[in-house]
Each structure stands twice: as C-alpha cells, then as structure tokens.
C-alpha cells in the first residue's frame, strides 16, 4: 500500500489549486501529497471566466479580458463599463499546463494518472482504490462529482446550467472585441431561462455560447440550431468556421454538500458545493475556498467542520426555488435587476462581499413578488 499524508483526487481547478497552495506552503513541506486524475490534462476541455477588481492571481494565464459588458432582456438593453472590475477568461489548457508544471516541481507531491474506483474512510486512515493500485492517507480531498446525490433528494431544487459554445472565426469583422455579452435574453425563452453569452477575442473571433438554467439538458441539435440562428440574426453572419466547441453542465442547487464529508474526507470543487448555486460561477470562488481550506488544515480539525452556510446560501435558495417553480421567470428577474442596479453592485453581491444593508438594496432592485412567494412556499412546506 502506498501511504501519503494527503491525497487529492482530481486535477481540475480545485485539485490543482489545492495541490499548488499546499506545495508552496512551508507548513506542508514535510507532508507527502498524492494528486490523482484519470486524464492527462493535455486538452483544452473548458474555459473559466470570472470578474475581478484590479490584478489577480491568474492574470498571467488570461487569454482575454474585457472592461465592458452587454446585457439584453426583452425590454431593456445596456452596454456598461464595469470598472473597477474586469471580466476575465482563462482557457483550461493554459491553466492545466501552468499548474501541473508547478505541482510537479514540488518534491513532496506525486502526480499519478489513474482512475479512482473507491474511497473509504476507515477511521484512522482513508483507503483509496484505483484501477491499478491501493493508496492510503490521513486525509483525502475529493473532487469527483455525482449527480445522483442531488437528484435522489427532495429538499432542494436541482437545476442544471447546460450549454454549448462555439469558438467561431468569421470572414468579415462582426464582433466588438471590447465588450463581452454577459447575458442576452432577447432570444426565445420557450418556457425556460435561456440566454446567449459572447466572448469576442477580435473582430473576427469569438466564443458564442447558448446557455440554459433548467432541469433537463436539450438534444444536441437544439443547441446548434439556436447558435446558427443567433449568428445569422444578431451578427448577420452565416460565413464562419467553428474552430472548437465546448459543452458543459454545471449543477445549480443548494443541496447540503457537507453531507458528503467525513472527519477525513472532504468534497472540494463542484463536488463540495463550491459552485455558486444561483449562477454556476466556480473558478474564483474555488480560489477563495482553497485559501480558506489551507488555513483550516493548519488547525488540525476534522474536515467535516470546514464547510459553513452563510446568508447568501438562503438568497441562492430562493432564486432556485423561483426558477424551479416557474423556469421562465429567469429573464424577468435578471432584466429587472440589471435595469435597476449596476453591474458593480451585482458583482459585489454575487461575490458575497456586501453588507446586509447592501444586500437589501440589491434585493429591492429585483422583482419582489416572486421572492415573497418563494419565501412563503418555503415556510409552508
């Protein structure tokens, strides 16, 4: 049996951030750490985006950033500067390459490509079985996500943020590379919350993405039809090449992910509920959670004491209750909010950095009746 102090399962954003944070911290210098993933992490399988004030930890990896965003609803549209924020994009391959290089440079971290079959907390140690070996550790951090845990419970609604994005190259200049389309709800909603998301890299290159907040994904051709129609109608463009595509599905739920944790096994990343339930944004929140986790590990407490709830969890829950009850309400909610509040106020609130007074100010900018009804339904159920 191969014995370690810590095992990190998954070399995605959360696993690599945690491995890097532990590898460069002198506190863990004498600890042996294993990083496991079934994939080689040599493909560009995703992009991560986030808003941030000023410079940040990932600026050296940015593929592109924007200081303006475009929002469109049914009746309201705006082009807005978001200073002091910038909307930033990191490509998966750039992140994997940089972070794996860092992680492999730490003498106390071992990187193994293998498929995890089981994890068992045996009290004093945790046993991890893979396709080819058995490992043990004092503590394990697990980023493997299983949708069944969400769908097999009834206490919290479960939506999915699902999308198909095309990296397109056009013959003619059609994009404004200075602004990102944050949410374009002007498209047909068809009983759901649906919007287009556009990240232009130049006047002829962009990521164009069709995104839904709903209970079930669509058939593949439905995303493609919507993207073709949007390119033709919004940009008057039918002459383009699809250079790459990305497809994803992010859980949107206030399910208590802490139930997965034990004294020695902690779920991290999306698996640990680190995705913002109301938006699906995960990357920068993962960075914040990682820093908090590293500090927590130094206290030597049981891992099931790490995760906590805040008032923002309840705000997210009410929004998801609304969208679960009537999935078409999303456009009205976001359109009203962006009409009455600035992107800066919204970003600060979604970053969970507002005071309670600022919370109330932002909430009063949203449709009130929907949230009152959702609160009432929560109390009587």
């Amino acid at each position: 049996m191969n014995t370690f102090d810590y095992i990190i399962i998954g070399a995605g954003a959360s696993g690599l951030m945690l491995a890097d944070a532990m590898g460069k911290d002198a506190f863990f210098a004498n600890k042996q750490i294993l990083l496991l993933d079934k994939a080689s992490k040599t493909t560009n399988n995703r992009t991560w985006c986030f808003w941030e004030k000023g410079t940040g930890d990932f600026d050296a990896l940015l593929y592109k950033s924007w200081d303006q965003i475009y929002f469109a609803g049914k009746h309201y549209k705006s082009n807005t500067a978001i200073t002091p924020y910038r909307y930033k994009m990191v490509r998966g391959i750039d992140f994997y390459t940089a972070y794996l290089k860092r992680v492999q440079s730490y003498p106390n971290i071992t990187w193994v490509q293998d498929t995890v079959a089981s994890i068992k907390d045996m009290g004093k140690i945790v046993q991890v079985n893979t396709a080819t070996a058995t490992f043990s550790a004092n503590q394990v951090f697990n980023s493997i996500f299983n949708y069944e845990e969400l769908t097999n419970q009834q206490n919290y609604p479960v939506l999915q943020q699902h999308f198909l994005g095309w990296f397109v190259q056009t013959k003619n200049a059609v994009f404004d590379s200075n602004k990102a389309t944050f949410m374009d709800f002007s498209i047909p909603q068809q009983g759901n919350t649906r919007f287009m998301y556009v990240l232009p890299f130049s006047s002829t290159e962009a990521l164009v993405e069709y995104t839904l907040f709903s209970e079930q994904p669509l058939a593949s051709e439905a995303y493609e039809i919507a993207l073709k129609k949007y390119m033709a109608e919004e940009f008057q463009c039918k002459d383009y090449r699809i250079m790459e595509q990305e497809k994803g599905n992010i859980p949107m739920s206030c399910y208590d992910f802490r139930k997965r944790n034990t004294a020695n096994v902690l779920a991290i990343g999306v698996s640990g509920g680190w995705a913002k339930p109301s938006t699906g944004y995960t990357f920068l929140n993962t960075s914040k959670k990682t820093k908090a986790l590293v500090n927590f590990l130094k206290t030597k407490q049981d891992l099931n004491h790490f995760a906590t709830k805040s008032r923002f969890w309840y705000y997210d829950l009410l929004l998801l209750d609304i969208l679960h009850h009537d999935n078409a309400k999303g456009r009205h909610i976001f359109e009203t909010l962006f009409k009455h509040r600035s992107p800066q106020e919204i970003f600060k609130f979604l970053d969970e950095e507002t005071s309670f007074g600022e919370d109330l100010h932002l909430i009063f900018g949203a449709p009130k009746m929907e949230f009152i009804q959702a609160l009432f339904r929560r109390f009587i159920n």
Side-chain angles (χ1 to χ4, degrees), residues 91-123:
R91 297 194 314 160
I93 188 61
D94 297 330
F95 177 82
Y96 299 143
T97 301
Y99 270 71
L100 274 175
K101 183 178 180 180
R102 287 192 209 173
V103 167
Q104 290 173 326
S105 73
Y106 301 127
N108 61 326
I109 297 183
T110 302
W111 155 252
V112 172
Q113 187 178 341
D114 204 346
T115 301
V116 172
S118 65
I119 306 165
K120 184 176 182 181
D121 188 342
M122 304 177 70

Side-chain angles (χ1 to χ4, degrees), residues 123-296:
K124 293 185 178 180
I125 65 166
V126 182
Q127 183 172 302
V128 176
N129 294 308
T130 71
T132 63
T134 298
F135 303 94
S136 69
N138 297 324
Q139 293 181 320
V140 169
F141 309 98
N142 179 25
S143 66
I144 297 175
F145 177 69
N146 185 351
Y147 249 118
E148 289 185 5
E149 294 180 37
L150 299 184
T151 55
N152 289 341
Q153 55 81 40
Q154 302 296 322
N155 293 328
Y156 304 105
V158 179
L159 300 178
Q160 302 180 51
Q161 180 181 152
H162 48 102
F163 53 87
L164 176 66
W166 285 348
F167 290 83
V168 299
Q169 184 179 72
T170 64
K171 183 177 180 180
N172 300 316
V174 299
F175 302 113
D176 181 352
S177 61
N178 295 313
K179 69 178 181 184
T181 297
F182 190 66
M183 287 177 158
D184 184 351
F185 284 104
S186 65
I187 62 173
Q189 298 296 284
Q190 301 179 52
N192 299 123
T193 295
R194 306 180 181 217
F195 59 92
M196 289 292 179
Y197 174 70
V198 183
L199 301 179
F201 313 129
S202 71
S203 61
T204 59
E205 296 177 302
L207 168 61
V208 183
E209 202 157 87
Y210 184 42
T211 303
L212 292 83
F213 296 170
S214 65
E215 290 190 56
Q216 298 297 331
L218 306 177
S220 295
E221 58 270 22
Y223 301 96
E224 295 169 357
I225 291 169
L227 286 166
K228 289 177 183 177
K229 183 179 180 182
Y230 190 72
M231 286 294 298
E233 294 182 354
E234 181 67 18
F235 299 109
Q236 291 79 53
C237 181
K238 296 183 179 180
D239 189 1
Y240 56 88
R241 295 173 59 201
I242 301 171
M243 310 301 290
E244 294 180 61
Q245 72 173 28
E246 67 172 17
K247 190 173 185 178
N249 188 313
I250 303 169
M252 302 176 70
S253 177
C254 283
Y255 170 72
D256 192 352
F257 288 88
R258 295 176 300 177
K259 293 181 179 180
R260 302 196 66 204
N261 301 331
T262 68
N264 303 308
V265 179
L266 178 73
I268 62 173
V270 172
S271 180
W274 292 8
K276 179 75 172 169
S278 57
T279 65
Y281 279 91
T282 310
F283 190 79
L284 204 60
N285 194 45
T286 294
S287 177
K288 294 176 181 177
K289 291 283 189 182
T290 298
K291 292 172 183 176
L293 176 55
V294 167
N295 289 330
F296 175 84

